[in-house]
Amino acid sequence: MVKAEIIVIGSGIAALKTALEASEHKHVILITKSNIRHSNSYLAQGGIAAAISDRDRVSLHKKDTLAAGQRYNKVKAVEKLVEEAPLIIAELIQSGMQFDHDDDGTLMLGMEGAHSERRILHSHGDATGKYIMEHLIASLNNSSITVMENTTAVELIIGKDDSCIGVKAHDKAGELVMYHAEQTVLATGGCGSLYHFTSNSQTVSGDGIALAFKAGAKVRDMEFIQFHPTLLFINGKAEGLVSEAVRGDGAILVNELGRPIMEGVHSLKDLAPRHIVAQTIFSYLQRGEKVFLDISMIKDFKKRFPTVSSLCEKSGLDLQFGKIPVAPGNHFLMGGIEVNEWGQTSVPSLYAVGEVACTGVHGANRLASNSLLEGLVFGNTLGHLLAKLPARSMPEEKEQSKDSCHSPFLPDLEALQEKLMNEAGIVRNEAGLTRLKDFLETFNIEKLLQMEVTALSIKEITIINAMIVAWLIAESALTRTESRGGHFRSDYPCEDDGRWIEDSVILACLDVENRVKRRRLYEHIEA
């Protein structure tokens, strides 16, 4: 058994920021199932948003965030995000982080979809996430934090007082290790790799959400999934992200004949909110038409966007023709583990931060370049809180009856990815969501929630977690009978403010029995 005051599970920007701040006064162990540089944050091409120019205002950043979120955001969380953004950026720069500058030495600020002003900071063009992460990793290496790579969290440990007292994990040798901690933080990202088309790292498969849900934490807004409009799409496969900053620099979406597809769809055209652009591209693909990003007007494209250029070249695409074939794919989860303003879940001493958490800050659709910002702002808050918490006496582990750990019959992960993309993807309806939910329930979701998993393989545990998260998405999407932001239902194509603007789909493990096999409780819980 290994003991620490704080355990942080994850290795993205929220995990590192939380761990660094908490480590000022606490012994912190950081656990990640791959390596420290394998995260969505590291892959992030887009920049980080902050109202720092003379033309911009925090109030405008707030307005844009609320508009993108379809007015479903928690206003206090949005105010926290945008008000703390300038200071977070200033602290990064003061600590040595280098952002891109114009020739005259001023910070270069880009434009992205649904922003009303140029407020996006970038580093090395389209490698912002990588360079912020390297900056934080350098601080990590100079800290007292213990980093455990290739260590997979498989089950949270619950005490006799129903609080979280740590995590059980498989180390790189496959051995089970018990990590006990006074406070445990989940910073494991979203669930992008559960979908056939995604911009996410393949390790981001919803594990943290499943771990928390099984431990008794509530989850919220799982129907709200953002599909990034422009993934490089070659030979029927999504090969990686083409940053929104490309459209911010003037690129336009065109059909096979070269005609702009966003004309007349939205006043912001190619820089409309992501769900609108993604749905428009999807409608063309459904008709068998290809969609391209016309980059011919961008001067020195390879210099401006080295990451995108490298991705295209590795995929065999010749950029001299000035067009990049694109398709939408899973990019970001607005829902997740329900937390309060401090990151506390409904399970005592269990916290969540970053994409795995649902603070309400993104509403129904995240504004571009608010994700890295979220990790820094809310990670900073949680880290400071944890650093100041008094020591607590640790209860003994709670005895829980678990089903036998024999290897269960499970579907192939690729089949599950295909089903999620088809039935709970960009366009949904009751028939498709019901098919998905019925399919998942044939594997006995209730039993999977109670299964003893510590003796199973990592592959089996990953699929079980994927099944649980897929069920949460299907159930939530079926329950919300409207379209809003990242949740579009063709059978309920309009927003229904009268019924849904202040209501959320919040699920707990105890609800599952009443929601399987069409015994759903259509109980809308006030936000």
Side-chain angles (χ1 to χ4, degrees), residues 43-153:
L43 293 175
Q45 295 176 14
I48 182 166
I52 60 174
S53 76
D54 293 340
R55 292 186 49 173
D56 205 358
R57 297 287 183 275
V58 165
S59 60
L60 293 177
H61 192 182
K62 172 186 172 181
K63 181 180 178 181
D64 293 344
T65 300
L66 292 172
Q70 303 300 108
R71 301 164 291 112
Y72 182 71
N73 320 59
K74 283 192 175 180
V75 176
K76 286 186 178 180
V78 174
E79 289 172 346
K80 175 182 177 63
L81 182 79
V82 301
E83 288 171 5
E84 295 184 17
L87 180 59
I88 283 284
I89 295 299
E91 289 176 347
L92 269 179
I93 294 172
Q94 187 175 16
S95 64
M97 175 64 202
Q98 295 291 318
F99 289 104
D100 294 341
H101 289 74
D102 290 321
D103 293 337
D104 62 3
T106 60
L107 280 170
M108 186 183 296
L109 299 176
M111 174 69 80
E112 290 185 2
H115 286 271
S116 58
E117 292 289 343
R118 302 185 73 87
R119 65 169 67 99
I120 316 302
L121 293 98
H122 293 274
S123 182
H124 293 73
D126 54 359
T128 311
K130 173 182 175 179
Y131 284 93
I132 293 179
M133 286 294 293
E134 288 293 352
H135 181 75
L136 295 177
I137 289 169
S139 298
L140 190 74
N141 292 336
N142 293 320
S143 75
S144 61
I145 298 167
T146 302
V147 178
M148 306 299 296
E149 295 183 307
N150 300 302
T151 301
T152 304

